[in-house]
Amino acid sequence: MRRGVLIALAGTLVAMTACTSSASDGHPRSTIAAQSSAGPPTAAAEQRYGKAPHRAAGLTYQPDVVLVGGGASSVRSVSADSLTWTIDAQAPHADQLAVGKVMFLTSRGVGRVVQLVPAGDTLAVTIGPVQLGEIVRDGVLKADGPLDLNAASVQTFPGVGGLTTVPARTSASPSSSTTHNWAALRSEPELPPPTKGLGAELSVGGFSVELAGSQKATNAGSIDLKVGYNHGGVVLGLTFAIEYEDAHVSSEIHVVGGELAEGSRTEVTGITGAKVDVSGGSELGLKGNKKARIEVPAEQNFEIPSEPVPFVLSVRLKFIVETAFSARNATLTSTGRLAIDGPLGFVKTAGKLSLEQPSVSIKQNPVETIAGVSQGVNGLVFAAQMKIQMGVGIEVAEAGPFVAFTASVGLTNGSSIGIVQCKQATVDAILAGGIGLTIDPGESEWLKKSLGALTKLLPKLDVELGNVSVSVVHRSDYRPRVAVCHI
C-alpha cells in the first residue's frame, strides 16, 4: 500500500469531518425561556430532545433566531431523520417562526426553518443545519466536564445516510425520507429515544456495526467501534478503539460578529491510546473485493456543564475499508496500537487557529502481527475516526467546537508459497480540530432525500468558522528486512 492512498483515505475521513441575553431584536428579556403549557420538561425529555436555551448577559443571538419557549416539554415528536420537529403550536414564540428564520427550541431542536405545517394544536417544523455563527452573533460559550460513563447514552439515527440502518435484532426497515404533508408526517417513523450506556448494534450498508464502551476501571476504559461483514464469500472483522483515563473536556469559544474570535480554545485530556485490529478473508479473490466509506448513524452522548448555550457533548465514529485480495481462500490478520501522550485540542491566537499536538507513537507495530495464508498477494486498508463534538443542532449536523483523531493501517501480505513471504504495513494518524460543520445540501444525499426541493432554501454549509488538521504519524515498515520486501 502506498503512502498517497493511505493519506488520501485518512484525509477523506477528516473532511467527512468540521442567564440574560439579547433576544432576536437585541433587547434583554427574561432570564429563562418561557415554559409551555405542558410545564417544565422532565429529565427524560431533556435527554431525548435537548435542553432549552437560556439568556445571559453578554450573549447576543443573530437577528433571525427565534427562541421558542418550553424546551423539551414543547416537543411532540421528531422524525427519524431528525429534521422535522412536531411541537406545541401554542409554545411561547412559536407564532414567530417563518421559513428562513432559525428555530432554537432546544440544544437539539436548532436549525433554519424550511417548512411549517400547522395541524390543530401542533406545528410540524422542518429545519436544516446551521453554523454556530448563524445562531450566535456575539458571546462567550463555555463547557467543562468529564466524559462520565455513568451519564452516557447512545442516540441512533434510523432515517439518515441513504442506507438501510435498523437495529441489528429488528427486521423492520424505517423510511429515510420525509413526505411534507400532515398525513405523512403523522405516520413518519420517529427518532428513537436514546438508550443508557455506550452500546448499540446497527446494520449499515451490509455491515454489522457495534458501538461499545469497555470500562477497565472507575475512570478508565475505551470507546470501541466493531465492524463485521459477511457477504458473497468475503468476511471482515474490524475494531477501532480509543483508550482513555480520566478523560476531560474543556472549551471556551469567543464569537464576535458570528466569527470565531481570539482566545477560543477546546481541549480534551485523558486520551491515552488507540487500537486497530483487522481480520479478513475471501473465497473469491479479485471478484470479491469490497470498498466502503460509512459514517455510523449513531452517536455516544455525555452530559457536560455548559453556559450560556446548552451544548451537547457527542462522540461520532466513521470508517473506510478497502480490500485487495488477489487469490481465492485467502486470509489476512493484524493488530496495531498507538500511544497518545498529551491533550488534543485547538486554540486561536494571533489570528491563527493551531492544534495542540500530543506525542503519538507506535506502541505495537502492525507489521509484526501480520498473518495469513494465500497463494497470491493480499492487501487491506482500514481507516477510522473518532470525533468529539460539543455543540447544538440536529443530531446529524451539530455545530460547535470539535477535535478528531483518525488512525489508518494499510497491510500487504505476500504469497505464502513464495520463497520469501513479504509483509508490509503503513500506519498513519491525523489530528483535527476546529469549530463548525461541513455539509453541502447540493451534494449530501441524505439531506436531499429528506428535504427534496426544500434543499434549495438552505445556504451551502461548507464554510466553517475554523478547521485545521495535521499528520502526527506516518510510518511504513516491512518484514523480513530483505531487499525483495522493501516498500
Side-chain angles (χ1 to χ4, degrees), residues 86 117-119 122 124 178-189:
T86 302
V117 180
T122 64
T178 299
T179 303
H180 297 282
N181 59 68
W182 176 243
L185 285 172
R186 288 183 66 94
S187 60
E188 176 71 16

Side-chain angles (χ1 to χ4, degrees), residues 356-381:
E356 292 188 11
Q357 295 186 36
S359 172
V360 182
S361 59
I362 297 177
K363 186 176 180 180
Q364 181 178 17
N365 193 335
V367 76
E368 304 285 1
T369 61
I370 291 178
V373 177
S374 173
Q375 293 183 357
V377 178
N378 302 294
L380 190 149
V381 173

Side-chain angles (χ1 to χ4, degrees), residues 111-416:
R112 193 165 299 279
V113 178
V114 296
Q115 188 174 63
L116 296 168
V117 180
D121 60 355
T122 64
L123 178 65
V125 187
T126 301
I127 56 178
V130 289
Q131 297 282 5
L132 189 60
E134 295 179 83
I135 303 168
V136 176
R137 187 175 69 188
D138 300 290
V140 179
L141 315 179
K142 297 181 179 181
D144 187 271
L147 289 179
D148 183 2
L149 292 181
N150 294 321
S153 62
V154 174
Q155 177 68 65
T156 58
F157 319 127
V160 175
L163 302 169
T164 302
T165 306
V166 297
R169 298 188 181 93
T170 302
S171 59
S173 179
S175 168
S176 63
S177 63
T178 299
T179 303
H180 297 282
N181 59 68
W182 176 243
L185 285 172
R186 288 183 66 94
S187 60
E188 176 71 16
E190 290 187 35
L191 188 71
T195 57
K196 184 176 176 58
L198 293 177
E201 296 180 13
L202 305 166
S203 176
V204 188
F207 288 85
S208 62
V209 178
E210 180 183 356
L211 301 180
S214 303
Q215 194 163 359
K216 300 175 183 177
T218 303
N219 298 313
S222 65
I223 294 173
D224 307 328
L225 168 67
K226 300 178 181 180
V227 179
Y229 183 86
N230 189 347
H231 183 73
V234 177
V235 178
L236 296 172
L238 312 168
T239 298
F240 173 63
I242 292 292
E243 299 162 339
Y244 66 89
E245 185 174 351
D246 295 323
H248 192 98
V249 181
S250 177
S251 181
E252 183 175 305
I253 301 300
H254 297 252
V255 182
V256 177
E259 301 291 336
L260 188 67
E262 291 288 303
S264 295
R265 63 168 187 82
T266 293
E267 182 178 83
V268 179
T269 59
I271 304 298
T272 59
K275 175 185 176 182
V276 177
D277 187 84
V278 173
S279 65
S282 174
E283 297 176 352
L284 304 177
L286 288 171
K287 294 182 180 180
N289 283 319
K290 180 72 178 176
K291 182 178 181 180
R293 181 183 69 185
I294 291 178
E295 182 166 355
V296 179
E299 65 182 20
Q300 297 164 311
N301 292 325
F302 300 83
E303 294 286 340
I304 186 168
S306 61
E307 59 179 22
V309 173
F311 278 173
V312 175
L313 175 61
S314 62
V315 173
R316 298 291 300 272
L317 294 154
K318 58 188 74 174
F319 67 91
I320 290 174
V321 60
E322 183 174 358
T323 65
F325 293 106
S326 67
R328 294 175 178 269
N329 302 316
T331 60
L332 177 60
T333 64
S334 180
T335 298
R337 292 179 179 271
L338 295 170
I340 303 172
D341 184 12
L344 288 68
F346 68 86
V347 62
K348 184 169 186 179
T349 56
K352 182 181 179 181
L353 196 68
S354 58
L355 289 175
E356 292 188 11
Q357 295 186 36
S359 172
V360 182
S361 59
I362 297 177
K363 186 176 180 180
Q364 181 178 17
N365 193 335
V367 76
E368 304 285 1
T369 61
I370 291 178
V373 177
S374 173
Q375 293 183 357
V377 178
N378 302 294
L380 190 149
V381 173
F382 177 48
Q385 181 194 85
M386 179 192 73
K387 182 177 182 180
I388 300 176
Q389 173 103 42
M390 284 172 291
V392 295
I394 54 179
E395 282 86 347
V396 294
E398 294 137 305
F402 72 90
V403 296
F405 182 85
T406 302
S408 68
V409 294
L411 308 171
T412 303
N413 195 24
S415 171
S416 56

Side-chain angles (χ1 to χ4, degrees), residues 1-12 291 320 322 381 383 408 410 426 428 474:
M1 297 292 169
R2 295 290 183 248
R3 178 181 181 183
V5 174
L6 289 172
I7 290 180
L9 286 169
T12 301
K291 182 178 181 180
I320 290 174
E322 183 174 358
V381 173
S408 68
T426 299
D428 281 281
H474 174 74

